[in-house]
Amino acid sequence: MISPAELDHLMHRAWPGLSNVPIDGWIARLGGGITQRANSVLPIESPRDLKVALEQVETLYREHGLVPTFQISPATQPANLDDLLAARGYESRSPTLVLVAGVDAVLRTLLPTPLNVMIADNPDEEWVDLWWSVDGRGGYQAQDIAHRILSQCPALYASIRDSMDIVATGRLALFDGWGGIYCMAVRENVRRRGYAQAVLRALLKEAVARQVGHVWLQVVENNHGARALYERAGFAPASRYHYRAQQ
Protein backbone atom coordinates (compact mmCIF):
# COMPACT_ATOMS: atom_id res chain seq x y z
CA MET A 1 0.00 0.00 0.00
CA ILE A 2 1.29 3.45 -0.87
CA SER A 3 2.02 5.72 2.11
CA PRO A 4 0.38 9.09 2.84
CA ALA A 5 3.76 10.78 2.35
CA GLU A 6 4.15 9.23 -1.10
CA LEU A 7 0.62 10.31 -2.03
CA ASP A 8 1.33 13.85 -0.85
CA HIS A 9 4.31 13.99 -3.22
CA LEU A 10 2.33 12.53 -6.14
CA MET A 11 -0.57 14.95 -5.63
CA HIS A 12 1.83 17.88 -5.38
CA ARG A 13 3.52 16.92 -8.65
CA ALA A 14 0.14 16.47 -10.33
CA TRP A 15 -1.18 19.87 -9.21
CA PRO A 16 1.69 22.20 -8.23
CA GLY A 17 1.68 25.92 -7.71
CA LEU A 18 2.76 28.24 -10.49
CA SER A 19 5.76 28.81 -8.25
CA ASN A 20 6.88 26.56 -5.41
CA VAL A 21 8.99 28.24 -2.75
CA PRO A 22 11.08 26.11 -0.33
CA ILE A 23 10.83 27.24 3.28
CA ASP A 24 13.02 25.16 5.61
CA GLY A 25 11.57 21.75 4.68
CA TRP A 26 8.17 23.01 3.55
CA ILE A 27 6.97 23.86 0.03
CA ALA A 28 4.97 27.09 -0.19
CA ARG A 29 2.88 26.90 -3.37
CA LEU A 30 1.70 30.08 -5.06
CA GLY A 31 -0.93 29.92 -7.80
CA GLY A 32 -2.66 33.28 -8.06
CA GLY A 33 -5.36 32.20 -5.61
CA ILE A 34 -6.70 29.51 -7.99
CA THR A 35 -7.46 26.26 -6.12
CA GLN A 36 -6.52 25.58 -2.51
CA ARG A 37 -3.80 23.05 -3.34
CA ALA A 38 -1.86 25.41 -5.62
CA ASN A 39 -1.99 28.10 -2.92
CA SER A 40 -1.09 26.15 0.19
CA VAL A 41 1.99 24.93 2.03
CA LEU A 42 2.97 21.26 1.80
CA PRO A 43 4.78 20.64 5.13
CA ILE A 44 6.92 17.64 4.23
CA GLU A 45 9.77 18.06 6.76
CA SER A 46 10.03 19.67 10.19
CA PRO A 47 11.65 23.12 10.04
CA ARG A 48 14.71 23.77 12.16
CA ASP A 49 12.92 26.82 13.61
CA LEU A 50 9.13 26.41 13.46
CA LYS A 51 8.33 29.94 14.61
CA VAL A 52 10.52 31.51 11.94
CA ALA A 53 9.13 29.19 9.22
CA LEU A 54 5.54 30.11 10.12
CA GLU A 55 6.38 33.81 10.02
CA GLN A 56 8.06 33.41 6.62
CA VAL A 57 4.99 31.59 5.25
CA GLU A 58 2.59 34.22 6.53
CA THR A 59 4.71 37.08 5.18
CA LEU A 60 5.12 35.40 1.77
CA TYR A 61 1.42 34.73 1.32
CA ARG A 62 0.38 38.20 2.43
CA GLU A 63 2.88 39.71 -0.03
CA HIS A 64 1.10 37.78 -2.81
CA GLY A 65 -2.38 38.77 -1.62
CA LEU A 66 -3.13 35.21 -0.45
CA VAL A 67 -4.50 33.75 2.77
CA PRO A 68 -1.78 31.70 4.51
CA THR A 69 -2.94 28.09 4.13
CA PHE A 70 -1.47 24.67 4.93
CA GLN A 71 -2.41 21.25 3.57
CA ILE A 72 -2.51 18.84 6.51
CA SER A 73 -2.24 15.06 6.07
CA PRO A 74 -1.08 12.08 8.18
CA ALA A 75 2.43 12.72 6.80
CA THR A 76 2.56 16.40 7.84
CA GLN A 77 5.72 17.52 9.64
CA PRO A 78 5.92 18.36 12.43
CA ALA A 79 3.22 15.87 13.42
CA ASN A 80 1.53 18.37 15.76
CA LEU A 81 1.36 21.16 13.16
CA ASP A 82 -2.44 20.90 12.85
CA ASP A 83 -2.88 21.61 16.57
CA LEU A 84 -0.32 24.41 16.48
CA LEU A 85 -2.11 26.10 13.56
CA ALA A 86 -5.48 25.73 15.27
CA ALA A 87 -4.06 27.45 18.36
CA ARG A 88 -2.73 30.17 16.07
CA GLY A 89 -6.26 30.82 14.79
CA TYR A 90 -6.16 28.81 11.56
CA GLU A 91 -9.52 27.41 10.42
CA SER A 92 -10.00 23.81 9.22
CA ARG A 93 -11.42 23.50 5.69
CA SER A 94 -12.31 20.91 3.03
CA PRO A 95 -11.73 17.50 4.68
CA THR A 96 -10.92 15.15 1.80
CA LEU A 97 -10.21 11.44 1.37
CA VAL A 98 -7.60 10.06 -1.02
CA LEU A 99 -8.70 6.78 -2.61
CA VAL A 100 -6.49 4.38 -4.57
CA ALA A 101 -7.10 1.36 -6.81
CA GLY A 102 -5.46 -0.95 -9.29
CA VAL A 103 -6.18 0.08 -12.88
CA ASP A 104 -7.14 -3.46 -13.93
CA ALA A 105 -9.57 -3.79 -11.01
CA VAL A 106 -11.36 -0.57 -11.92
CA LEU A 107 -11.53 -1.45 -15.61
CA ARG A 108 -13.29 -4.71 -14.75
CA THR A 109 -16.15 -2.67 -13.25
CA LEU A 110 -16.57 -0.30 -16.24
CA LEU A 111 -18.69 -1.53 -19.13
CA PRO A 112 -17.60 -0.91 -22.74
CA THR A 113 -19.30 2.02 -24.42
CA PRO A 114 -19.89 3.08 -28.04
CA LEU A 115 -19.03 6.68 -27.18
CA ASN A 116 -16.00 8.11 -28.95
CA VAL A 117 -13.51 9.45 -26.41
CA MET A 118 -10.57 11.50 -27.65
CA ILE A 119 -7.26 11.43 -25.76
CA ALA A 120 -4.64 14.19 -25.97
CA ASP A 121 -1.38 14.98 -24.19
CA ASN A 122 -2.32 18.62 -23.60
CA PRO A 123 -5.55 20.49 -22.82
CA ASP A 124 -6.70 22.78 -25.62
CA GLU A 125 -8.82 25.88 -25.08
CA GLU A 126 -12.11 24.04 -25.70
CA TRP A 127 -11.24 21.38 -23.13
CA VAL A 128 -10.39 24.00 -20.52
CA ASP A 129 -13.54 26.01 -21.33
CA LEU A 130 -15.82 23.04 -20.64
CA TRP A 131 -14.01 21.90 -17.51
CA TRP A 132 -13.90 25.42 -16.09
CA SER A 133 -17.56 26.08 -16.86
CA VAL A 134 -18.48 23.05 -14.72
CA ASP A 135 -15.82 23.05 -12.02
CA GLY A 136 -14.16 26.45 -11.98
CA ARG A 137 -14.52 29.56 -9.88
CA GLY A 138 -13.68 32.92 -11.37
CA GLY A 139 -13.47 34.52 -14.78
CA TYR A 140 -11.14 34.30 -17.74
CA GLN A 141 -8.00 35.32 -15.83
CA ALA A 142 -8.62 32.60 -13.23
CA GLN A 143 -9.25 30.07 -16.02
CA ASP A 144 -5.95 31.00 -17.65
CA ILE A 145 -4.09 30.42 -14.38
CA ALA A 146 -5.80 27.04 -13.96
CA HIS A 147 -4.76 26.11 -17.51
CA ARG A 148 -1.14 26.96 -16.69
CA ILE A 149 -1.26 24.90 -13.48
CA LEU A 150 -2.58 21.86 -15.38
CA SER A 151 0.03 22.13 -18.12
CA GLN A 152 3.04 21.86 -15.81
CA CYS A 153 3.08 18.07 -15.56
CA PRO A 154 2.66 15.02 -17.83
CA ALA A 155 -0.98 14.02 -18.14
CA LEU A 156 -3.63 12.64 -20.47
CA TYR A 157 -6.69 14.72 -21.36
CA ALA A 158 -9.90 12.97 -22.38
CA SER A 159 -12.92 14.56 -24.02
CA ILE A 160 -16.22 13.64 -25.65
CA ARG A 161 -17.90 15.81 -28.27
CA ASP A 162 -21.48 16.04 -29.40
CA SER A 163 -22.24 17.36 -32.89
CA MET A 164 -20.62 20.71 -32.09
CA ASP A 165 -18.89 21.02 -28.72
CA ILE A 166 -16.97 19.18 -26.03
CA VAL A 167 -19.47 17.90 -23.46
CA ALA A 168 -17.25 15.88 -21.07
CA THR A 169 -13.66 16.01 -19.84
CA GLY A 170 -11.22 14.11 -17.64
CA ARG A 171 -7.53 14.30 -16.78
CA LEU A 172 -5.06 11.62 -15.72
CA ALA A 173 -1.76 12.89 -14.31
CA LEU A 174 1.11 10.45 -14.87
CA PHE A 175 3.99 9.76 -12.46
CA ASP A 176 6.10 6.71 -11.61
CA GLY A 177 3.56 4.06 -12.60
CA TRP A 178 0.72 5.96 -10.92
CA GLY A 179 -2.11 8.03 -12.39
CA GLY A 180 -4.14 10.76 -10.70
CA ILE A 181 -7.74 11.32 -11.80
CA TYR A 182 -8.76 14.99 -12.02
CA CYS A 183 -11.11 17.36 -13.85
CA MET A 184 -13.98 14.94 -14.40
CA ALA A 185 -16.70 17.22 -15.77
CA VAL A 186 -19.87 16.73 -17.81
CA ARG A 187 -21.96 19.56 -19.25
CA GLU A 188 -25.12 19.88 -17.18
CA ASN A 189 -27.67 19.26 -19.96
CA VAL A 190 -26.14 15.89 -20.98
CA ARG A 191 -25.55 14.26 -17.61
CA ARG A 192 -26.63 10.70 -16.72
CA ARG A 193 -25.77 9.40 -20.19
CA GLY A 194 -22.64 7.48 -19.26
CA TYR A 195 -20.19 10.16 -20.38
CA ALA A 196 -18.17 10.24 -17.14
CA GLN A 197 -17.80 6.45 -17.12
CA ALA A 198 -16.72 6.49 -20.77
CA VAL A 199 -14.11 9.18 -20.06
CA LEU A 200 -12.75 7.27 -17.07
CA ARG A 201 -12.61 3.99 -18.98
CA ALA A 202 -10.77 5.59 -21.91
CA LEU A 203 -8.21 7.22 -19.60
CA LEU A 204 -7.55 3.96 -17.78
CA LYS A 205 -7.26 1.97 -21.00
CA GLU A 206 -4.63 4.44 -22.19
CA ALA A 207 -2.97 4.24 -18.76
CA VAL A 208 -2.52 0.48 -19.19
CA ALA A 209 -0.78 1.10 -22.51
CA ARG A 210 1.61 3.44 -20.67
CA GLN A 211 2.34 0.92 -17.91
CA VAL A 212 0.39 2.74 -15.23
CA GLY A 213 -0.73 0.15 -12.69
CA HIS A 214 -2.48 2.18 -9.99
CA VAL A 215 -4.55 5.35 -9.74
CA TRP A 216 -5.59 7.78 -7.05
CA LEU A 217 -8.39 10.29 -6.77
CA GLN A 218 -9.63 12.75 -4.17
CA VAL A 219 -13.21 12.94 -2.89
CA VAL A 220 -14.70 15.34 -0.34
CA GLU A 221 -15.23 13.40 2.88
CA ASN A 222 -18.96 14.14 3.22
CA ASN A 223 -19.76 13.26 -0.41
CA HIS A 224 -21.12 9.85 0.54
CA GLY A 225 -22.67 9.19 -2.87
CA ALA A 226 -19.38 9.66 -4.71
CA ARG A 227 -17.49 7.64 -2.12
CA ALA A 228 -19.88 4.72 -2.50
CA LEU A 229 -19.60 4.92 -6.29
CA TYR A 230 -15.81 4.87 -6.23
CA GLU A 231 -15.66 2.07 -3.67
CA ARG A 232 -17.91 -0.07 -5.87
CA ALA A 233 -15.39 0.57 -8.67
CA GLY A 234 -12.58 -0.85 -6.54
CA PHE A 235 -11.17 2.26 -4.83
CA ALA A 236 -10.17 2.13 -1.16
CA PRO A 237 -9.09 4.92 1.25
CA ALA A 238 -5.32 5.33 1.55
CA SER A 239 -4.94 8.81 3.05
CA ARG A 240 -6.78 12.00 3.85
CA TYR A 241 -6.10 15.70 4.17
CA HIS A 242 -7.66 19.02 5.05
CA TYR A 243 -6.54 22.62 4.86
CA ARG A 244 -5.78 25.06 7.65
CA ALA A 245 -6.31 28.68 6.58
CA GLN A 246 -5.57 31.78 8.61
CA GLN A 247 -8.78 33.59 9.56
Side-chain angles (χ1 to χ4, degrees):
M1 175 68 76
I2 190 169
S3 71
E6 290 170 313
L7 281 169
D8 281 350
H9 280 282
L10 283 172
M11 291 186 292
H12 167 64
R13 292 167 69 190
W15 201 285
L18 288 181
S19 60
N20 302 278
V21 181
I23 295 181
D24 199 5
W26 293 345
I27 302 173
R29 299 173 289 204
L30 305 170
I34 306 306
T35 77
Q36 290 183 101
R37 179 178 302 278
N39 295 274
S40 64
V41 176
L42 183 61
I44 55 177
E45 296 178 9
S46 293
R48 290 163 295 183
D49 190 321
L50 181 61
K51 182 176 182 293
V52 169
L54 284 169
E55 290 172 350
Q56 289 178 335
V57 165
E58 291 173 354
T59 297
L60 176 68
Y61 277 65
R62 284 194 295 266
E63 287 175 349
H64 285 81
L66 300 171
V67 175
T69 302
F70 287 76
Q71 180 192 334
I72 304 295
S73 83
T76 287
Q77 295 296 323
N80 65 340
L81 181 60
D82 194 34
D83 292 336
L84 293 173
L85 292 173
R88 202 175 175 92
Y90 279 66
E91 175 183 75
S92 180
R93 297 179 179 175
S94 307
T96 301
L97 297 177
V98 186
L99 310 182
V100 301
V103 172
D104 289 339
V106 178
L107 280 172
R108 285 195 293 269
T109 73
L110 300 175
L111 298 175
T113 171
L115 292 167
N116 180 35
V117 182
M118 296 172 289
I119 303 289
D121 291 326
N122 295 287
D124 62 19
E125 188 172 342
E126 256 194 302
W127 189 101
V128 176
D129 284 346
L130 185 279
W131 165 61
W132 195 252
S133 71
V134 173
D135 205 29
R137 297 171 182 84
Y140 180 79
Q141 184 176 7
Q143 178 177 322
D144 179 64
I145 292 172
H147 190 172
R148 290 161 59 197
I149 290 170
L150 293 184
S151 301
Q152 291 184 96
C153 77
L156 302 174
Y157 294 86
S159 59
I160 297 176
R161 303 184 69 94
D162 63 10
S163 58
M164 295 181 61
D165 303 308
I166 288 178
V167 296
T169 63
R171 174 182 186 252
L172 189 72
L174 302 170
F175 293 104
D176 302 334
W178 278 81
I181 299 167
Y182 294 89
C183 305
M184 296 291 291
V186 179
R187 200 172 67 193
E188 187 174 6
N189 67 326
V190 295
R191 290 176 185 168
R192 304 186 187 279
R193 300 185 187 181
Y195 288 170
Q197 178 174 298
V199 163
L200 180 58
R201 188 174 190 275
L203 284 171
L204 296 187
K205 292 283 284 185
E206 186 65 24
V208 170
R210 302 191 185 209
Q211 299 182 318
V212 172
H214 294 82
V215 287
W216 81 84
L217 58 79
Q218 296 126 234
V219 60
V220 176
E221 189 170 18
N222 65 5
N223 190 343
H224 300 291
R227 287 172 58 182
L229 177 67
Y230 291 133
E231 286 168 10
R232 286 197 298 272
F235 285 88
S239 188
R240 62 194 311 125
Y241 64 86
H242 61 276
Y243 294 96
R244 282 279 179 188
Q246 194 175 58
Q247 298 187 60

